[in-house]
Structures are given as C-alpha cells and as structure tokens.
Amino acid sequence: MNSINEKRLSNQPFLFMKIFERYLHRNPLSFCPVFSGELSLIVIIPVLDEPELFKTLDSLRACRLTKGNVGVIVVVNHAENCDAEIKRKNEETFKSLRAYISATDTPGLEFYITSAFDLPVSESGVGVVRKMAMDAAAWYFYTENRPNGIIASLDADTLVEANYFEELLRYFDASDAAGVAIHYAHRWEEVDGSLREAIIKYEIYLRYYCRALRYTGHPYAYQCIGSAFACRAADYVAQGGMSKKQAGEDFYFLQKLIATGRFADLTTTTVWPSSRISSRTPFGTGQSVRKIMEDGGNFLTYNPAAFRVLKSFFDGIPLLFRAEDETAGNYMQQQSECLCRFLETTAFPRKIREINDNVASLPFFRKRFYDYFNAFRVLKYLNFVHAGYFEKVPVESAVAGLLEAGGYTCPDTLGEILSFLRSGDKTPGFLLSL
C-alpha cells in the first residue's frame, strides 16, 4: 500500500471494515474463492458459451508480473431456461477449465473457477454473474484486510496487453483513484465485410460520444465498458457493488464510481474485446452492431450541435450558485429553445434551489449539480432534442465535424478514422473543441 492510500485508510480503518461488513451482510455470497497467495489484484471473468475463453486465459498468463500476485475468478454460468446445447457447451467448458488449470502453472498468477448453472431466470444474466464474481473478490480482500485490493472486470472474449497487470498495479499504487476506465480496441481486423464496417462504426460512435460529452465540460465523460474497467475493493462496496441488470450493468455501476471524483482513464495498457456479434444481452455492443448491419451499414448518431448547446449551458453553472428561483428561471429561459423546453420538464428552478439549500461552496454546488444533471439526464436530453429540434447525422459526418472543429483533417477511411481516434484518446487535451 503506498503512502497516499495508507494515509487515506489509516485514519478510518474501522470505518472501512464496517463498510465491507455491511455490504456483505446485505449481499450474501454465491461462493468464497480460495487462493494460496496474498493477492493485490483479482480479475473476474463471467463465462457463457464462450469459444474464445482459453485465448483470454492465455493472454492473462502472458502478462508480466513484476509486483504483487494476481488471482483470476472465472464463473461459467447459464440460466435454467437456457438452450440445451449451450448448457452442454458450458459443462464441457467447465471440464476443460479444470484440465487447463491443472496443466498450467504461472508464477504469481492463480485461477479460481466455479460454476453457476441453472440460475433462476430472474437472477441470471451478465450483471448478476459479474456481481457474483466481484462480490467474491471484495470478500477475499476483506478477509485479507486489504481494502485497497484491486478488482478488474474482464470478458471471456477479450485479450489484454502484456503490461495489463503491471499498469493496473502501478496506477492504483501511485494514486487514490476509486476506479479506472481502461483503454480498449475492438479486434475488427479479425472480421470482414459488413461486420467489420459495423464494429468500426460502433467504436467510432463510442469514442465520438465520450469526446463530445467531455467537450461540454461534463465530468462524467468516460467510457463504460464491462471488459475494460477496474476499481478498489473498498470503493466497490462503498458504492453498492455491481448492478444485477441484464445489460448495461457496467454503465450503472461506473456512474457511481465516477461520481466520487476519483475516477480516471488508464491509457498505458489496452484490452482488445472481440468483434463478434452476441445476442446475450438486450442492448450493448453485440446488439448495436447487429442493428447497423440490418440497416445496411447506416448508423445515425447525435448531432454535434446538441453538444454545443450543452457546453454553453454548463459554462454558466457558477452563475446558479446561491441563485434565487427567479435567477435560475431567467438562466433557463436564456438557453436554446430545445434545452429550455427540456429543463422545464425537470422543474429546473426548484432543483437549483434544492441544491443550493444543501451546499456551502461552489465546488460542492458543481458536484451536486452534476449528480442531478448526470449521464442519464444527458441521454434524456439528447433523445428529447433529437425528437423535434435536431436531426441525427451519420456517424462519419459527426466525427468529421468533431475533428475539423478541433483543427484536424479527417482521415479518408473508417479504419483510419478509428485508429486516429484511438491514438487521440491516449493524448491529453485531444479534441477539446466542437
């Protein structure tokens, strides 16, 4: 534990242990992992009908380990109403996993595998299983009195860079971060034709949206991907743990971590998710890519002008600190008509009064304001204004406008655009204009 984190925890060790105990009391464990070594990092992997699992495990075994031991929790799972063929494949995968673990020995790296077969339909899905594994990792760190232990979330079709362990341990050791979003890059080179075009467009959209939101000044502008984040065990339980949602569980949980103000991008290592189509969740990458293909490759996204409206609004937030209802109402009326109409649906002046009644300084006002106008409300705003004020535009046009506004020349091909955005997302200050 470094000096930063020793100082943060030494003052309140009893409080942190109580937070763990309260969380574990409210969230009974499905299993208790057993590891022989003292771990600094645990990677969790939910598995459902995953043909690429062993590539992922080999990728982890190829990682360098120069400081601290690492554990990997693998949970093979399916619901009770799952197709019989998938159940059979899962059972075979579990048997193969046992043989794999017995046949491999990587110093400093230890695997714990378990099954969660025939889960009740209401208690199944990737959110439930990700929670099972992360809860178990948190329990391990609690029993070892290591609240600063790191829990990393990965998927069974995702590869990692050789410095994945090193960079996670280094970053958390050198900072007081609650969590990080890890740089990612879908493996689009492995697929061809319309699928390749669709996954490239979808990742371009993800990067465009995050960058456009960051341009507005919103502090919650981070990628939220289940296979590309990590957090401290203490912060995991303090924020209520993983959601059980069947999709989007990563987004909901990460919003709470981001709201701590101790969240960051980790760009010195990369994870590479698969580009295959999956129908296991009602939305997300797989379903979005499928929809793009069904629409003949067309993918419309939010108009850059809608983000410019938000930036103008957010720039004036200090004016609302200690503002009376009339001042807040006047500020609302000064906004673009589309935003003004949206704010009216949120009882904006009353909300500003509520925030002011509970804060004593501008920094706390900002924090409470963005807790109110959070990432969910931004999405509601975007959908509202695109229903009657703005037209969605092709993602290629949106990102071209983003790049040109930032003084960059947009590359000619989709692949070149994506590569440029990936590189830019590792560069501080990249694309702050729109």
Side-chain angles (χ1 to χ4, degrees), residues 202-213:
Y202 183 67
E203 189 177 319
I204 287 175
Y205 157 74
L206 292 176
R207 296 185 185 280
Y208 161 75
Y209 183 88
C210 185
R211 184 55 53 179
L213 185 57

Side-chain angles (χ1 to χ4, degrees), residues 296-314:
N298 297 316
F299 186 23
L300 300 180
T301 189
Y302 301 116
N303 197 308
F307 292 98
R308 287 195 287 268
V309 169
L310 269 190
K311 176 173 173 52
S312 178
F313 173 57
F314 292 153

Side-chain angles (χ1 to χ4, degrees), residues 19 99 124 128 353 401:
I19 291 173
S124 64
V128 169
R353 183 174 70 250

Side-chain angles (χ1 to χ4, degrees), residues 392-431:
K392 288 188 175 182
V393 297
V395 69
E396 308 96 301
S397 300
V399 78
L402 179 70
L403 292 173
E404 289 165 7
Y408 302 93
T409 300
C410 186
D412 295 328
T413 69
L414 288 171
E416 290 170 339
I417 291 172
L418 180 52
S419 294
F420 187 79
L421 291 176
R422 286 175 174 177
S423 177
D425 281 348
K426 290 190 173 186
T427 305
F430 175 67
L431 284 180

Side-chain angles (χ1 to χ4, degrees), residues 194-195 197-199 201-202 277-279 282-300 392:
S194 60
L195 177 54
E197 179 179 334
I199 191 63
K201 285 187 175 182
Y202 183 67
I277 295 178
S278 171
S279 59
F283 58 89
T285 301
Q287 294 293 358
S288 297
V289 169
R290 184 187 302 277
K291 181 69 165 56
I292 295 170
M293 294 176 67
E294 290 173 351
D295 290 343
N298 297 316
F299 186 23
L300 300 180
K392 288 188 175 182

Side-chain angles (χ1 to χ4, degrees), residues 309 313 316-317 319-320 323-352 372-373:
V309 169
F313 173 57
I317 293 309
L319 300 174
L320 297 172
E324 300 293 337
D325 285 6
E326 182 179 357
T327 302
N330 289 338
Y331 186 73
M332 179 180 73
Q333 294 298 328
Q334 292 166 9
Q335 305 307 309
S336 297
E337 181 184 356
C338 61
L339 177 56
C340 181
R341 298 289 83 80
F342 174 74
L343 293 175
E344 287 175 345
T345 69
T346 71
F348 182 71
R350 186 182 68 191
K351 191 63 187 179
I352 295 303
Y372 147 69
F373 212 110

